[in-house]
């Protein structure tokens, strides 16, 4: 609590300062005419996701532009990674203490706030956990739209415009995403009864979990009427994980960061909490969390492949999957076996038997929102003394050369269109780490078909993405702590909603 109060004071001080202001278009044009020289610093929190990627890009940039220096600084600790494998796959699970992570993130945010408040700070900021909207409101971030408009070498058609546009804030472009991610819904076709599949497909353009559960309610009861091994609706834990999933597409209806409005005590959030608990009580969701089971197993058994195998054999009507699963989905639907080595990143795996899974579509919010996530999004510090170099390096990070690096297959989908096409080829042909030109690799007719099918699937789902829910690490921590009191039974949904309303309101408007 003391740490949060300290951070709040820092924010108050930041807002009391006169902002450095945004660069005018004319001054940006002058900056772009400068010869690139000197050095800049790129700062990010998570060393696992960013360090190698940025350092490799920095080396390439410096070779192209002698006389420049790109420094990369990370703050967080490298997490422990546990691996286990069998003859078919390798699993890598990222472990870490929530308490340690909370303290480290608070320390990092405090460090950056102090530097910006003093008129300094890194030239390029990776907004992984930073509250960018507060910096933008205080004039501490450059409006990148000015750079995009003034730079004759920046071709907007080379990038996924709907992803970039979705991250605008109050009409300005203060964040530039390097990548994007999304989740989609898959269903197990072997569990459906009667006309379930046609009903699901009819609802696919605008689906919510509640609608999916209603469609499959009868089939769910039939499947579990005489089964000792329960089949669940969704491969997701019945706690904050499900709550976050339900909030995602409509996040701004609960917390509107842009207008500093909080709507957590009008009954909707309390109802959402009750729904999560009811879904768990009805057996729709899996008990515990994936991370808990992978850490110790169901009964204290140390992490090993047997735990993974048990999770793989679980049955679910629906699964929420990331875009990283699309490759396996495409190959499975075409009945192709290629010995692909499966990896998992970021704290867990999607549990469940996937042999009969089919793609349904994207979850949709009340207003048709289909949400985007990202790993890498950067902003330029308005205090930077070398904005020309900062923009040049940011633009280099958006180039086909960098975005088609095999590491992007781990990080996310590139916003660069040509790079996304090239990665589609590498992903389907398992051409990981192959430095040879993809054009020189001859494809069989079957591979060409699969590459096209995969690329078309990615692009079709990407076309529908239109919403990026602004979030704040401090607010997420508040929600996690308060809602845990509801899930453990110590507070009612209304009490939790009311407490969160006051805390988040105070934080946003301080």
């Amino acid at each position: 609590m003391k740490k949060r109060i300290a951070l709040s004071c820092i924010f108050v001080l930041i807002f009391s300062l006169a902002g450095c202001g945004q660069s005018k278009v004319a001054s940006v044009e002058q900056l772009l005419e400068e010869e690139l020289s000197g050095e800049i610093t790129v700062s990010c929190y998570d060393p696992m996701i960013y360090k190698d990627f940025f350092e490799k890009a920095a080396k390439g940039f410096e070779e192209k532009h002698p006389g420049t220096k790109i420094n990369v600084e990370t703050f967080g600790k490298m997490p422990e990674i546990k691996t286990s494998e069998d003859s078919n796959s390798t699993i890598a699970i990222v472990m870490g203490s929530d308490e340690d992570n909370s303290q480290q993130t608070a320390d990092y945010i405090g460090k950056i706030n102090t530097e910006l408040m003093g008129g300094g700070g890194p030239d390029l900021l990776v907004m992984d956990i930073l509250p960018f909207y507060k910096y933008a409101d205080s004039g501490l971030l450059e409006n990148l739209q000015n750079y995009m408009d003034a730079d004759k070498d920046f071709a907007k058609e080379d990038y996924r415009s709907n992803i970039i546009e979705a991250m605008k804030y109050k009409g300005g472009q203060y964040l530039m995403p390097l990548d994007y991610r999304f989740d989609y819904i898959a269903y197990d076709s072997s569990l459906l009864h009667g006309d379930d599949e046609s009903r699901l497909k009819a609802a696919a353009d605008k689906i919510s979990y509640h609608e999916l559960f209603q469609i499959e309610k009868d089939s769910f009861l039939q499947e579990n009427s005489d089964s000792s091994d329960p089949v669940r609706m969704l491969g997701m834990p019945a706690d904050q994980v499900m709550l976050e999933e339900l909030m995602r597409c409509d996040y701004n209806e609960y917390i509107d960061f842009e207008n500093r409005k909080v709507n957590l005590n009008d009954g909707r959030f309390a109802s959402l909490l009750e729904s999560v608990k009811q879904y768990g009580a009805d057996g729709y969701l899996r008990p515990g969390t994936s991370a808990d089971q992978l850490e110790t197993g169901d009964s204290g058994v140390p992490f090993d492949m047997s735990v993974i195998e048990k999770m793989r054999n679980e049955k679910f009507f629906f699964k929420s999957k990331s875009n990283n699963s699309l490759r396996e989905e495409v190959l499975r639907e075409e009945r192709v076996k290629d010995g692909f080595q499966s990896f998992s990143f970021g704290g867990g795996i999607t549990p469940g038997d996937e042999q009969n899974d089919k793609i349904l579509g994207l979850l949709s919010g009340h207003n048709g929102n289909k949400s985007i996530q990202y790993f890498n999004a950067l902003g330029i510090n308005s205090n930077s003394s070398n904005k020309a170099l900062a923009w040049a390096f940011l633009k280099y990070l958006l180039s086909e050369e960098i975005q088609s690096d095999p590491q992007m297959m781990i990080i996310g989908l590139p916003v660069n269109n040509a790079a996304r096409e090239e990665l589609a080829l590498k992903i389907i042909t398992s051409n990981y780490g192959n430095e040879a030109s993809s054009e020189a690799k001859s494809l069989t007719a079957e591979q060409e078909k699969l590459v096209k099918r995969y690329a078309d699937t990615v692009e079709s789902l990407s076309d529908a993405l239109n919403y990026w829910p602004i979030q704040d690490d401090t607010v997420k921590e508040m929600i996690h702590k308060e809602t845990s009191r509801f899930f453990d039974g110590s507070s009612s949904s209304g009490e939790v909603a009311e407490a969160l309303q006051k805390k988040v309101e105070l934080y946003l408007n301080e």
Side-chain angles (χ1 to χ4, degrees):
M1 181 59 69
K2 290 181 180 178
K3 173 61 65 177
R4 295 301 181 201
I5 292 173
L7 290 179
S8 298
C9 292
I10 289 173
F11 277 125
V12 171
L13 287 171
I14 285 179
F15 296 151
S16 69
L17 294 175
C20 295
Q22 300 304 318
S23 297
K24 303 295 188 295
V25 172
S27 64
V28 170
E29 291 173 338
Q30 292 172 358
L31 282 173
L32 297 179
E33 293 175 0
E34 296 178 4
E35 183 176 348
L36 297 179
S37 63
E39 64 181 280
I40 59 170
T41 296
V42 182
S43 179
C44 49
Y45 173 75
D46 194 333
M48 178 178 176
I49 297 175
Y50 310 107
K51 186 174 173 52
D52 290 345
F53 177 74
F54 283 124
E55 287 182 345
K56 184 177 179 179
K59 182 178 179 181
F61 183 87
E62 290 166 359
E63 290 174 353
K64 291 177 181 295
H65 302 281
T68 63
K69 174 67 176 174
I70 312 296
N71 303 302
V72 178
E73 66 174 26
T74 58
F75 187 85
K77 296 178 183 177
M78 184 66 77
E80 177 188 3
I81 301 176
K82 293 188 177 183
T83 61
S84 188
E85 59 184 73
D86 58 17
S87 58
N88 296 317
S89 60
T90 300
I91 304 294
I93 306 297
V94 180
M95 301 298 184
S97 163
D98 288 340
E99 184 176 345
D100 289 344
N101 290 338
S102 178
Q103 183 62 55
Q104 286 181 50
T105 56
D107 289 345
Y108 179 67
I109 294 171
K111 171 181 179 291
I112 295 299
N113 290 343
T114 301
E115 291 174 348
L116 295 178
M117 179 180 66
D123 303 270
L124 276 170
L125 295 160
V126 178
M127 300 295 175
D128 42 8
I129 63 172
L130 296 173
F132 92 94
Y133 64 96
K134 292 198 172 189
Y135 302 154
D137 285 344
S138 301
L140 295 171
L141 290 179
E142 291 288 285
N143 185 349
L144 300 177
Q145 190 65 55
N146 295 335
Y147 292 78
M148 296 159 65
D149 292 342
D151 192 336
K152 297 177 182 178
D153 294 328
F154 186 86
K156 298 177 183 178
E157 61 272 16
D158 290 344
Y159 310 97
R160 261 229 164 258
S161 59
N162 63 315
I163 304 300
I164 296 174
E165 286 284 324
M167 294 190 187
K168 280 193 169 182
Y169 176 74
K170 294 184 177 179
Q173 193 77 52
Y174 301 98
L175 285 184
M176 179 60 71
L178 303 186
D179 59 75
Y180 68 98
R181 302 160 55 228
F182 59 83
D183 292 336
Y184 66 93
I185 300 298
Y187 63 94
D188 187 333
S189 59
S190 70
L191 297 175
L192 306 188
H193 296 247
D195 65 347
D196 286 359
E197 189 160 21
S198 61
R199 293 172 66 201
L200 287 173
K201 289 182 177 180
D205 287 340
K206 191 174 181 180
I207 55 176
S208 68
Y209 283 120
H210 180 71
E211 289 169 327
L212 296 179
F213 295 167
Q214 287 298 109
I215 291 172
E216 291 303 318
K217 186 174 181 179
D218 291 341
S219 296
F220 171 81
L221 294 174
Q222 289 182 50
E223 285 290 332
N224 289 290
S225 61
D226 57 358
S227 174
S228 58
D229 194 11
V231 176
R232 304 193 185 276
M233 280 284 198
L234 182 66
M236 191 169 291
D239 56 13
Q240 280 101 345
V241 179
M242 185 61 185
L243 175 64
E244 184 175 337
E245 183 77 0
L246 288 173
M247 287 183 68
R248 183 182 298 161
C249 290
D250 298 305
Y251 202 92
N252 64 329
E253 293 186 12
Y254 300 102
I255 304 174
D256 182 352
F257 288 99
E258 188 164 321
N259 296 300
R260 299 291 200 276
K261 292 183 179 179
V262 185
N263 304 300
L264 293 171
N265 65 347
D266 62 1
R268 287 179 299 172
F269 186 71
S271 177
L272 199 66
L273 288 173
E274 296 289 351
S275 293
V276 173
K277 182 171 282 190
Q278 190 60 51
Y279 290 151
D282 290 341
Y284 286 4
L285 309 175
R286 60 195 315 272
T289 68
S290 299
D292 291 339
Q293 289 193 336
L294 291 171
E295 176 73 32
T296 62
D298 286 335
S299 57
V301 178
F303 167 81
D304 61 23
M305 189 56 71
S306 65
V307 178
I308 303 298
E309 285 303 319
K310 181 176 181 180
M311 292 175 68
R312 280 177 174 163
N313 291 327
E314 292 178 297
K315 291 280 189 179
F316 303 100
F317 279 87
F318 305 105
K319 302 181 188 75
S320 176
K321 297 185 174 184
S322 79
N323 54 269
N324 291 331
S325 296
L326 287 173
R327 177 186 186 277
E328 291 94 321
E329 221 82 75
V330 167
L331 294 177
R332 180 169 53 253
E333 288 188 21
E334 292 291 336
R335 302 296 187 264
V336 173
K337 307 296 182 183
D338 68 347
F340 174 62
Q341 293 294 301
S342 176
F343 290 83
S344 174
F345 295 87
I349 66 171
T350 301
D353 180 357
E354 299 181 288
Q355 294 305 307
N356 298 292
D357 280 4
K358 292 184 179 180
I359 299 169
L360 180 59
L362 302 171
L363 282 176
S364 179
H366 297 148
N367 297 319
N369 293 336
K370 293 180 171 61
S371 67
I372 305 161
Q373 305 167 62
Y374 70 81
F375 271 125
N376 286 308
L378 289 82
I380 296 179
N381 183 356
S382 291
N383 296 326
S384 172
S385 60
N386 202 340
K387 295 171 187 173
L389 183 57
W391 168 251
F393 184 61
L394 177 53
K395 191 168 63 170
Y396 180 64
L397 292 171
L398 292 168
S399 68
E400 180 181 355
E401 175 185 350
I402 297 302
Q403 297 237 315
S404 59
D405 187 289
Q407 190 172 357
M408 285 296 291
M409 288 184 281
I410 298 171
I411 295 174
L413 292 164
V415 295
N416 185 293
N417 297 329
R420 210 165 49 256
E421 290 179 12
E422 187 171 342
L423 285 184
L425 174 74
K426 292 179 180 179
I427 286 170
I428 292 300
T429 59
S430 299
N431 193 24
Y432 293 94
N434 190 337
E435 297 299 328
S437 169
S438 59
E439 296 178 355
K441 185 179 179 67
S442 59
L443 299 179
T444 65
E446 182 66 13
Q447 285 177 322
E448 288 181 350
K449 179 181 178 182
L450 292 174
V451 170
K452 185 178 187 307
R453 181 179 176 85
Y454 169 80
D456 288 349
T457 302
V458 168
E459 298 307 311
S460 175
L461 291 170
S462 297
D463 285 342
L465 299 171
N466 59 5
Y467 173 65
W468 176 59
I470 298 174
Q471 295 190 38
D472 183 306
D473 192 72
T474 301
V475 173
K476 287 176 69 175
E477 183 71 13
M478 289 178 182
I479 293 174
H480 180 83
K481 286 184 177 180
E482 288 299 323
T483 55
S484 66
R485 298 192 296 110
F486 169 74
F487 290 115
D488 69 17
S490 59
S491 295
S492 69
S493 59
E495 290 169 338
V496 168
E498 194 63 46
L500 273 174
Q501 175 75 21
K502 294 176 181 178
K503 290 184 178 181
V504 177
E505 227 169 26
L506 178 64
Y507 172 74
L508 291 186
N509 294 292
E510 58 192 4

